[in-house]
Amino acid sequence: MNKVEQETYDAIREPVEKCGFEIVAVEYVKKPDGMNLTIYIDIPRGVTLNDCELVHNTINPIIDELDPVDGPYILNVSSPGLDRPFKTQRDFERNYGREVEIKLYAPIKGKKYYEGILKSRTENVVVLEIDGTDVSFETNRIALARPSVHFS
């Protein structure tokens, strides 16, 4: 995190958690409409528009007082999306027993993409059940791990 992102995170973490949400990420980047400060929140049941509004209204006065940014910016509060990549051990644990996809930096047995049921994750290994067989992947070989999203 850069300085703006870290200061913002530190200032709003507790109030956001009191509202029942987890801050997944804080992002301060230039977009076509100018500088954007985006707070990504999550909750196990999924984030709604009303949730984003609640958190926005909660943190807006805190961020105004903190004034972490030189110049104008747009404050956004957003869901990280259905297919957000796993970044923490908690992300993996929340998805045990669910279908996930893993993309590797380099192929194993000619494949860089695997999909299966997430069984476990340690510091060094992620285990998926693929077609009834447990398959282990070293974490340093994994470029991306995220929920599988299928629309019917």
Side-chain angles (χ1 to χ4, degrees):
M1 275 194 239
N2 66 36
K3 183 180 177 202
V4 169
E5 293 166 346
Q6 188 64 56
E7 285 179 359
T8 302
Y9 175 84
D10 292 343
I12 66 171
R13 182 185 58 79
E14 190 173 316
V16 170
E17 288 177 355
K18 283 183 181 176
C19 289
F21 300 93
E22 170 190 6
I23 298 174
V24 174
V26 176
E27 179 181 79
Y28 180 62
V29 296
K30 184 173 183 158
K31 294 190 177 180
D33 59 351
M35 294 305 293
N36 280 249
L37 179 60
T38 304
I39 314 303
Y40 293 97
I41 60 170
D42 206 1
I43 193 167
R45 65 164 164 71
V47 176
T48 67
L49 184 57
N50 288 339
D51 295 333
C52 292
E53 182 180 16
L54 169 68
V55 171
H56 187 281
N57 291 337
T58 299
I59 67 173
N60 194 41
I62 297 166
I63 293 174
D64 280 349
E65 185 177 318
L66 178 66
D67 195 23
V69 176
D70 292 330
Y73 66 95
I74 297 168
L75 175 62
N76 303 298
V77 177
S78 179
S79 160
L82 291 174
D83 63 346
R84 80 170 166 106
F86 302 151
K87 296 182 183 215
T88 66
Q89 178 66 23
R90 186 173 175 191
D91 291 338
F92 282 90
E93 289 169 359
R94 245 189 262 150
N95 287 280
Y96 287 167
R98 294 189 175 142
E99 192 170 350
V100 301
E101 60 184 51
I102 288 182
K103 293 181 183 177
L104 305 173
Y105 290 113
I108 296 176
K109 297 182 183 177
K111 290 176 56 179
K112 287 177 72 173
Y113 175 85
Y114 290 85
E115 195 168 22
I117 304 300
L118 180 60
K119 301 284 286 212
S120 65
R121 189 240 189 192
T122 65
E123 185 177 325
N124 301 316
V125 176
V126 172
V127 178
L128 297 186
E129 179 184 316
I130 302 173
D131 297 326
T133 303
D134 287 354
V135 180
S136 298
F137 300 91
E138 295 174 21
T139 55
N140 63 353
R141 297 189 72 170
I142 298 172
L144 177 73
R146 65 181 175 195
S148 294
V149 178
H150 300 280
F151 296 100
S152 35

